[in-house]
Amino acid sequence: MDNDLHLVDTATLDITKSYPGIKSDYSEKFHLSNDGKYIYFSNSGYVRVWDLSSGKKATVLNEPNVQNIEDVSTPDMNTFITYNSD
């Protein structure tokens, strides 16, 4: 698996855009912001936010005292809620 992110047109199943992956950046739980401008996901002890228009990492939210973040949610892209199984 290439660890790249591919956006797909659901009508044609064509890949419309691809973003190269980073080996240390992986998740099975990507989330799309309500406005469609960002994707965000958890990975171990941090949350990554990617700007889809630029294809670049917008920010990394890191909480050193929290490990193994299982998932993340946000109502507004300003406040992020994380959870783990601890």
Side-chain angles (χ1 to χ4, degrees):
M1 191 168 264
D2 60 11
N3 200 30
D4 295 343
L5 175 66
H6 305 286
L7 299 182
V8 177
D9 181 325
T10 57
T12 64
L13 299 181
D14 291 333
I15 295 173
T16 59
K17 187 114 179 172
S18 293
Y19 301 94
I22 300 170
K23 289 218 181 272
S24 62
D25 248 357
Y26 60 89
S27 180
E28 295 177 353
K29 298 177 184 176
F30 285 94
H31 301 280
L32 183 65
S33 63
N34 290 336
D35 61 9
K37 295 180 180 180
Y38 301 93
I39 59 166
Y40 58 95
F41 60 94
S42 63
N43 182 341
S44 189
Y46 57 86
V47 174
R48 292 246 192 235
V49 180
W50 285 85
D51 181 328
L52 292 176
S53 63
S54 70
K56 297 186 190 249
K57 189 174 10 177
T59 191
V60 177
L61 308 172
N62 186 9
E63 175 53 58
N65 297 323
V66 176
Q67 296 298 315
N68 301 321
I69 297 171
E70 290 184 21
D71 206 0
V72 60
S73 182
T74 180
D76 56 11
M77 294 302 289
N78 291 309
T79 302
F80 287 82
I81 303 152
T82 62
Y83 73 88
N84 62 13
S85 59
D86 287 349

